[in-house]
Amino acid sequence: MTSNTLLSVEEVLQQLSVIRKCGYAVDNEELEYGLVCLGVAIMDSNNKPVGGISVSGPASRMTPENRTAFAEYLIDCGRQISSKLQDSREQQIYDLEISVGDVNKKLQQIAGLNQAIMEDMAATQGNSYFGPNELLDQRNLLLDELSGYMKIDV
């Protein structure tokens, strides 16, 4: 702690208001004399902070001009990272929707094949010689494909 350290709730809330307006936080020798740190939040798709990036340096080199340049750079980097996280999440959701759609389609096909197998078995009265081997093979292929999605043994 230093004499610059924020000590009251009011000071912290006031600083949070400034951070929200300018888009970055400043540790102005609050932890240690001679050390300045700038930081920005990484946001998720709901605009909630999930991380952060920062840059620190000696106060002698963190001039107001350098702070402005670093802050602009950090804000840009934070936005890019946030955007990539959001894009990645959207891609994961898309991939999951595609996978669920594929699984549902295969399950519907299996249900149809099961119905056809039951009807064929009833028509042949369970005689395996005349049974629904082709239908069973088709169903087994679909089950094998499904096992790749669900990591199960068939």
Side-chain angles (χ1 to χ4, degrees):
M1 287 186 16
T2 70
S3 62
N4 294 340
T5 303
L6 303 177
L7 298 176
S8 71
V9 172
E10 293 80 21
E11 288 176 311
V12 171
L13 291 175
Q14 182 181 8
Q15 188 62 32
L16 284 173
S17 176
V18 171
I19 292 167
R20 285 187 185 101
K21 286 179 188 168
C22 67
Y24 64 97
V26 179
D27 172 347
N28 189 21
E29 300 182 73
E30 294 171 39
L31 177 65
E32 182 179 325
Y33 288 116
L35 181 64
V36 173
C37 178
L38 306 175
V40 299
I42 305 298
M43 309 301 267
D44 69 8
S45 57
N46 296 316
N47 208 30
K48 302 285 185 198
V50 293
I53 55 174
S54 65
V55 62
S56 299
S60 60
R61 291 195 312 207
M62 294 295 272
T63 63
E65 298 81 25
N66 286 344
R67 288 183 192 188
T68 300
F70 281 128
E72 289 172 1
Y73 181 73
L74 280 174
I75 290 169
D76 184 54
C77 288
R79 286 183 181 145
Q80 288 181 39
I81 294 168
S82 296
S83 177
K84 288 181 189 285
L85 280 175
Q86 292 167 15
D87 291 347
S88 173
R89 173 126 172 99
E90 289 170 7
Q91 184 63 47
Q92 290 171 349
I93 290 169
Y94 174 78
D95 291 346
L96 181 60
E97 288 172 348
I98 294 297
S99 295
V100 168
D102 288 347
V103 167
N104 285 336
K105 182 178 178 183
K106 290 182 188 327
L107 289 172
Q108 288 173 347
Q109 291 172 331
I110 289 170
L113 286 169
N114 282 341
Q115 182 65 35
I117 290 166
M118 295 299 289
E119 291 170 2
D120 199 12
M121 289 179 79
T124 60
Q125 299 177 359
N127 185 334
S128 62
Y129 182 75
F130 299 107
N133 290 330
E134 186 177 321
L135 296 173
L136 289 167
D137 290 343
Q138 289 177 24
R139 183 184 67 184
N140 287 340
L141 286 173
L142 286 170
L143 288 170
D144 285 343
E145 290 176 27
L146 276 178
S147 69
Y149 285 101
M150 297 183 220
K151 308 286 189 249
I152 57 172
D153 295 322
V154 228

